[in-house]
Amino acid sequence: MMVRSRSTTGLLALALGACTPALDWREVRPADSDVVALFPCKPKRLARPVALAGAQVQMSLVSCTVKDATYAVGYALLVDPTRVTAALGEMRVAAAANIGAKAVGASEWSMPGMTANPLAQKLAMEGRSADDRPVHEQAAFFVKGLRIYQATIVGPVIEREAAETFFSGLRFSS
């Protein structure tokens, strides 16, 4: 009887452990942007100057990696409204090039409060990682005013539920 009880207790502990969420979702509001995002892990922030649409801009990135998938939101503020669409296009090209994606599937993307833009879409891509392993990427591109955004998940496997939580959790704070 004692062996059976230990065995049952062990199975129960394994079952409960399997139900423990691997992703620890949290709301993140980068101080220098008006976007709010849900991240499944504690993100790090970094920024650096980049060239977009013929202009030097400060590109900020908030990202974290969990379960071999990286979740990120990148954004930049432009000064010239005539460069917004071109800059968003360059961000899309760079996202595909980062994984060597050859085929890109695009679907409509919108968020309440975003500025309409023909390149505001969600892309699904397949390519190779830096160590030449197959990788998947989902990325949404959008605009609010003069600020352009890219929300991305990259990994060998993108869990459907995690992707839905990440992308549906994006919103503007004001």
Side-chain angles (χ1 to χ4, degrees):
M1 186 73 150
M2 190 103 141
V3 171
R4 181 181 242 167
S5 175
R6 283 186 189 158
S7 187
T8 304
T9 303
L11 287 174
L12 182 59
L14 280 174
L16 289 174
C19 293
T20 302
L23 304 178
D24 183 14
W25 293 98
R26 67 206 60 221
E27 190 173 88
V28 176
R29 298 170 185 253
D32 58 343
S33 114
D34 53 0
V35 74
V36 178
L38 286 177
F39 278 88
C41 43
K42 185 176 181 181
K44 294 180 182 176
R45 293 177 170 91
L46 56 102
R48 68 181 179 102
V50 298
L52 277 176
Q56 205 56 9
V57 298
Q58 186 74 7
M59 179 68 110
S60 297
L61 181 74
V62 180
S63 69
C64 67
T65 302
V66 64
K67 295 176 76 175
D68 292 328
T70 299
Y71 297 75
V73 174
Y75 50 94
L77 180 63
L78 303 173
V79 233
D80 184 350
T82 65
R83 295 179 186 217
V84 169
T85 299
L88 198 62
E90 288 180 15
M91 284 176 70
R92 290 166 48 123
V93 168
N98 284 341
I99 63 166
K102 293 181 178 39
V104 176
S107 59
E108 288 185 26
W109 173 259
S110 67
M111 286 174 45
M114 75 176 227
T115 303
N117 188 288
L119 296 182
Q121 293 181 323
K122 185 175 177 191
L123 306 181
M125 302 169 266
E126 294 182 11
R128 310 293 290 180
S129 65
D131 60 359
D132 203 35
R133 294 184 182 174
V135 69
H136 301 273
E137 180 174 2
Q138 290 182 22
F141 299 86
F142 51 101
V143 177
K144 183 170 183 188
L146 295 177
R147 196 175 307 270
I148 58 174
Y149 295 89
Q150 174 183 337
T152 307
I153 304 172
V154 179
V157 174
I158 296 177
E159 295 178 6
R160 185 183 55 77
E161 188 176 309
E164 286 176 9
T165 301
F166 179 68
F167 289 109
S168 68
L170 292 166
R171 63 182 172 84
F172 292 110
S173 59
S174 53

